[in-house]
Amino acid sequence: MPNSPGATVVPVLPRVLVVGDGEAARQTAELIARRQPVTLIIPQERLSGPAGLVSHNNISVCNGARILSVHGQWGNFAVTVKTEGSEQQVTAGAIVLAMDPVPGRLNRDCLLPAGERVWPLSRFSPQAIPNYVCSVSFLVGAGENDWALTFIPALRAAVELVERGIDVNFFFREYRVSAPGLEELCHRARQAGVNMYRYQEPPSGRVLPEGVALVYRDPFLTEEFPVLQVVSDLLVVAEEYALPQEAMALAELLGLARGASDRLQPTNVHYWPVKSSRPGVYLVGSCRDLALAGEAWLDAAVVASEVSRLAGGRMEVEAGYAVVEPARCALCLTCYRVCPYRAVEIKGQPQNRTYGAAAWIHPLACQRCGLCAAECPSAAITLGLSNAEKWAESQEIRFGSSEPGEASAVCLQVFACANSSWLLTRDVGRSLESKLAHLAGQDQIIVQRVPCAGQVGEPEVLSALLHGADGVLVLPCYDQNCRHRRGNRRWHQRGDNVSWFLSDVGLEPERLHWRPLSASSHQLVVTVNEMLERLRALGPWHKGRSAG
Amino acid sequence: MIVAERKPIQEIKKMLIPFQRILVCGCQGCVTVCAAGGAKEVAVTAAALRLAAEVEGNSLLIREATVERQCEFEFVDQLQKEITDIQAVLSLACGAGVQTIAERFPHLPVYPGVNTRFIGLPVQHGVWAERCQACGECLLDRTGGICPVARCAKNLLNGPCGGSQNGKCEIGQDLDCAWQLIYDRLAGLGQLDRLREIMLPKDWSKSRDGGPRRLVRRDLLLEDEQ
């Protein structure tokens, strides 16, 4: 039985599936295993990684495996895994992607091909240099994302060599101290005598019989020292890193929305630190962003804490998640396509006479944005509560003195996103409430809370107007700041259409206006005031027109 | 599915000018799936008509209904109780649905609320494309599953015309040349030799050229109706 009234209990699997081959996967698996069982999937052809060294009786390791399919949702994933010709089914409550990135081609700043005197960094070891080598140059390049993977190991190797009496030149484009211990390492390198060269134009190079020559142009001293040629016996070049193919394939299987430049985490603060676009799927270190490779240990701790909610084998879900009425479902797939969380499945439902199947929304995976309900062409989806209207009324505030429909006064309906502008209107500390009340005066402002601006469309705007509003103001979040990833964009796609629709009906399209506001904006009062001014100029639509 | 699109409210208003009591009737079939005439569109259209009437100071009674499939007499018969005091029906179904209502209720005016466009599919959410012209004699077996009748602007049966440039049709850069698609697909299937077979002129009498079509399955006829 659930503890709170109206809540549903969903049975969940405590087991967590961790996918990866390196240090990130090992740490994540071991941290989670302290509280619940873990299956560690080590992808094919990368068995030598540190993940192979895990030891914990709560971890079962699946070596050299490939994931063929993923079904189910948060709390109950079913994953088909292929190992050496045999297929097995692993069930887990959550999935963690913790793959390490792999080195690719030499950094684009190196203008020489790899060869006898030009070595890739990942295959270089200070212990294994040939006897003839008395000087080594390092080149770490332009990559913005793989800082922890190239700059730190290259500088460590440089320090080790210079301490053994070898002459070391270190060419780099950028210098950062953000990773743990990096500032100390840079300090130590300078003290030990590593020659540091910061460049803006990549040094051109030549392979000579006696070594490798790099021609360097100092970005600051161009007048007196136009160019400098540095010759060393060996050149070690950092590679550019990328996520392995398996990670991309798995992200595809899971239907994850990606961020910029192939990041597996959408560019949106609501996913930080470790969430993916799918509830129950988590991302660690480089799987979020290559630049975070050095912070995998921190992510592992956050993931372990997140997945611990599954440890009890049951989770309680409050009412309010989206529910499909099977008999009305036309199987149009709209909800299946628009859900930003992939929370919708098609299931057999005898109540649906036409198809015997209907869309079904997973209560745990549903994050209550209401995009599905807004777009369902069958009006078959409601946000859970049995009496949606009662809920809606309890979630609105009214400012001003007049009743809607009173002569001369105007009534403004505001749709405020629960994650930004609604919070502003409730911000008593900044006395916005009293300012809005003052603004309203003889007129009326009704602020309606919506779970996401993407839930507002033609029906909501028309209904507001029919119920006495003279104009509608929609306040979504800024782009890339929508808690539901693309809900605000759904409104922006729709806004112009709804305006056009108003003019088609015979009303001024200016009666609908929208602008994004953040939860800390100073523009709420100005925006509402501008809209009120606009409406006062237009006048109430129903009275004026029926009189004429 | 049959793809339809909403008509502008202004156009609908003109059709309905003489009436004060209207039933807006949707269909749970194709037009729901293509977001033109399901329960949601019925509600939106009804609200828009109410608003438009109020703007002009008129009073209007609008009832809403959505039937399982408006192209079936039995489902349309369920409207009987909805239409007792109704002067006109605005149907948001395809042309077949509108005519089913017209046939069933001889004394009730019915008007179309959508434009029925074509038989097609959603190539992405919100974009539909024509795929079948219901020509009555399917030849997809010879063209790799891509229809030159529906997808070539000239319905050519034996390869592209001179207007095919870089895989696109000359009528618009958005339109793929059907014969380029057919060639590429057959090449991928290793069946290019199929193109050596010359297709003889098509029997268009099975298409619209033969007049309105009718299909009879004697095996399905019910005894008492034979």
Side-chain angles (χ1 to χ4, degrees):
Chain A
M1 283 295 289
N3 291 326
S4 48
T8 314
V9 170
V10 180
V12 293
L13 300 164
R15 180 170 293 277
V16 178
L17 196 76
V18 178
V19 190
D21 52 293
E23 200 53 37
R26 187 186 64 79
Q27 284 178 345
T28 310
E30 286 182 351
L31 269 178
I32 297 171
R34 290 184 193 172
R35 216 178 313 203
Q36 57 212 95
V38 172
T39 299
L40 176 61
I41 303 235
I42 303 184
Q44 270 174 331
E45 292 159 18
R46 246 187 287 288
L47 296 175
S48 53
L53 305 173
V54 289
S55 58
H56 199 293
N57 49 17
N58 231 353
I59 303 178
S60 52
V61 179
C62 220
N63 259 327
R66 193 154 64 89
I67 294 177
L68 297 181
S69 68
V70 183
H71 294 285
Q73 297 284 354
W74 190 15
N76 283 284
F77 287 106
V79 180
T80 311
V81 178
K82 189 175 181 183
T83 37
E84 288 176 30
S86 72
E87 279 178 26
Q88 66 178 106
Q89 179 98 173
V90 182
T91 52
I95 299 176
V96 185
L97 270 60
M99 275 103 136
D100 278 355
V102 288
R105 60 169 192 175
L106 292 188
N107 193 283
R108 69 200 69 172
D109 281 357
C110 175
L111 307 173
L112 294 170
E116 201 185 330
R117 288 191 183 266
V118 181
W119 291 18
L121 175 65
S122 69
R123 274 178 267 156
F124 172 78
S125 152
Q127 282 83 36
I129 53 170
N131 286 333
Y132 66 86
V133 172
C134 304
S135 59
V136 176
S137 289
F138 286 86
L139 178 72
V140 280
E144 278 182 30
N145 288 329
D146 43 12
W147 198 253
L149 300 160
T150 55
F151 192 90
I152 297 172
L155 197 54
R156 280 214 186 100
V159 171
E160 195 177 329
L161 289 177
V162 87
E163 283 173 353
R164 275 163 49 190
I166 290 168
D167 201 15
V168 177
N169 306 297
F170 197 85
F171 291 86
F172 60 98
R173 189 189 273 270
E174 275 179 89
Y175 184 100
R176 294 185 204 175
V177 288
S178 56
L182 187 51
E183 191 165 6
E184 292 82 350
L185 181 63
C186 290
H187 186 67
R188 199 171 133 208
R190 284 181 191 280
Q191 287 217 314
V194 175
N195 302 313
M196 307 287 274
Y197 297 95
R198 181 177 187 165
Y199 65 84
Q200 279 175 348
E201 285 169 38
S204 59
R206 265 179 309 147
V207 180
L208 308 169
E210 68 273 21
V212 187
L214 289 182
V215 178
Y216 167 79
R217 189 181 292 273
D218 191 291
F220 306 110
L221 305 172
T222 43
E223 294 297 312
E224 295 102 281
F225 304 97
V227 283
L228 179 71
Q229 176 161 295
V230 179
V231 180
S232 46
D233 296 326
L234 203 62
L235 174 64
V236 180
V237 185
E239 290 116 313
E240 292 185 5
Y241 277 74
L243 279 182
Q245 206 45 54
E246 301 98 89
M248 300 322 244
L250 186 52
E252 192 77 38
L253 268 185
L254 288 163
L256 299 187
R258 293 189 196 160
S261 55
D262 269 352
R263 287 176 188 148
L264 295 189
Q265 194 171 42
T267 315
N268 182 324
V269 71
H270 294 287
Y271 293 92
W272 289 358
V274 292
K275 285 182 185 155
S276 74
S277 65
R278 269 192 90 169
V281 177
Y282 301 95
L283 306 167
V284 165
S286 338
C287 278
R288 293 166 58 197
D289 182 344
L290 286 179
L292 300 167
E295 289 166 37
W297 58 278
L298 204 56
D299 291 352
V302 181
V303 169
S305 146
E306 288 272 345
V307 298
S308 67
R309 298 166 69 187
L310 300 165
R314 66 200 278 283
M315 270 169 78
E316 227 171 74
V317 194
E318 295 279 332
Y321 53 86
V323 174
V324 181
E325 193 185 318
R328 299 186 71 129
C329 176
L331 274 193
C332 67
L333 299 171
T334 299
C335 52
Y336 179 82
R337 291 178 188 143
V338 301
C339 176
Y341 301 102
R342 286 212 157 206
V344 182
E345 294 174 15
I346 306 299
K347 277 197 168 185
Q349 300 277 11
Q351 298 102 303
N352 190 302
R353 282 176 297 156
T354 313
Y355 302 102
W360 177 81
I361 299 170
H362 192 277
L364 267 184
C366 172
Q367 304 296 301
R368 300 139 198 251
C369 61
L371 289 189
C372 55
E375 302 203 21
C376 173
S378 275
I381 306 179
T382 44
L383 275 196
L385 300 186
S386 53
N387 193 343
E389 276 169 1
K390 190 177 159 202
W391 171 81
E393 250 173 52
S394 70
Q395 298 286 325
E396 73 175 35
I397 35 175
R398 286 166 182 263
F399 301 105
S401 53
S402 67
E403 281 298 307
E406 215 169 272
S408 79
V410 292
C411 174
L412 167 64
Q413 169 90 45
V414 181
F415 287 106
C417 171
N419 304 294
S420 53
S421 42
W422 170 257
L423 300 173
L424 276 177
T425 61
R426 311 260 59 194
D427 190 348
V428 183
R430 290 168 64 197
S431 65
L432 289 174
E433 276 189 311
S434 62
K435 278 184 189 162
L436 287 177
H438 178 73
L439 271 188
Q442 287 303 302
D443 303 317
Q444 195 181 29
I445 306 170
I446 303 169
V447 185
Q448 166 80 57
R449 176 191 186 273
V450 286
C452 176
Q455 216 200 22
V456 184
E458 285 164 356
E460 290 72 22
V461 173
L462 292 179
S463 163
L465 293 168
L466 278 171
H467 284 93
D470 296 298
V472 174
L473 178 63
V474 183
L475 301 175
C477 298
Y478 279 97
D479 197 30
Q480 299 199 332
N481 206 18
C482 174
R483 173 151 179 237
H484 304 293
R485 185 156 57 88
R486 58 181 174 203
N488 55 352
R489 265 178 256 161
R490 295 306 280 175
W491 165 258
H492 282 291
Q493 271 173 271
R494 225 177 264 151
D496 287 333
N497 268 359
V498 183
S499 286
W500 180 87
F501 199 68
L502 288 191
S503 57
D504 191 26
V505 166
L507 283 172
E508 300 86 351
E510 297 79 31
R511 291 188 186 272
L512 172 66
H513 187 71
W514 62 93
R515 76 163 282 181
L517 285 186
S518 72
S520 59
S521 174
H522 294 279
Q523 300 297 310
L524 175 72
V525 171
V526 177
T527 309
V528 171
N529 195 30
E530 281 172 5
M531 188 65 198
L532 272 178
E533 291 299 326
R534 218 170 283 142
L535 289 185
R536 284 169 185 148
L538 289 168
W541 65 264
H542 44 302
K543 290 288 166 193
R545 296 212 172 216
S546 55
Chain B
M1 73 174 120
I2 290 169
V3 180
E5 69 180 338
R6 307 196 319 195
K7 275 183 184 286
I9 295 296
Q10 289 297 334
E11 189 184 336
I12 293 174
K13 253 171 60 187
K14 276 191 202 123
M15 301 173 195
L16 299 175
I17 278 174
F19 308 107
Q20 278 82 49
R21 296 191 302 279
I22 296 158
L23 172 73
V24 180
C25 185
C27 171
Q28 272 265 61
C30 309
V31 290
T32 292
V33 178
C34 67
K40 182 192 172 189
E41 307 309 322
V42 167
V44 167
T45 308
L49 289 173
R50 283 186 195 113
L51 200 57
E54 262 193 65
V55 167
E56 287 164 7
N58 300 326
S59 74
L60 200 59
L61 179 137
I62 298 180
R63 205 162 287 148
E64 300 169 28
T66 303
V67 295
E68 201 83 41
R69 281 199 306 279
Q70 228 184 84
C71 56
E72 305 278 6
F73 291 126
E74 287 87 339
F75 288 131
V76 165
D77 283 345
Q78 292 170 0
L79 292 172
Q80 198 73 56
K81 57 183 181 301
E82 313 276 351
I83 56 164
T84 45
D85 57 342
I86 287 295
Q87 297 169 324
V89 176
L90 177 73
S91 163
L92 300 191
C94 69
V98 178
Q99 294 180 64
T100 312
I101 291 183
E103 215 161 323
R104 214 51 170 179
F105 305 114
H107 304 295
L108 187 64
V110 57
Y111 298 92
V114 302
N115 292 319
T116 307
R117 297 292 303 274
F118 48 79
I119 303 175
L121 57 83
V123 283
Q124 68 184 75
H125 195 62
V127 180
W128 292 267
E130 184 164 16
R131 286 291 184 269
C132 177
Q133 208 173 290
C135 73
E137 193 177 46
C138 192
L139 43 78
L140 284 168
D141 58 316
R142 280 174 284 174
T143 56
I146 293 164
C147 179
V149 178
R151 299 179 69 180
C152 166
K154 291 175 174 169
N155 316 130
L156 293 180
L157 298 183
N158 288 292
C161 69
S164 173
Q165 296 288 320
N166 303 318
K168 297 291 174 189
C169 174
E170 66 184 339
I171 70 166
Q173 274 305 300
D174 295 340
L175 188 69
D176 289 321
C177 168
W179 275 102
Q180 181 74 49
L181 297 176
I182 293 167
Y183 180 90
D184 292 345
R185 177 150 164 90
L186 288 177
L189 292 170
Q191 294 181 2
L192 275 180
D193 53 314
R194 290 203 155 232
L195 294 178
R196 294 188 180 280
E197 187 187 334
I198 305 288
M199 271 196 247
L200 296 176
K202 190 170 163 59
D203 175 9
W204 290 103
S205 72
K206 290 179 176 163
S207 182
R208 283 285 311 143
D209 297 31
R213 291 166 280 180
R214 186 179 171 87
L215 177 68
V216 180
R217 280 271 307 265
R218 294 218 160 270
D219 55 327
L220 298 184
L221 295 179
L222 300 175
E223 255 174 69
D224 46 353
E225 288 171 5
Q226 268 179 12

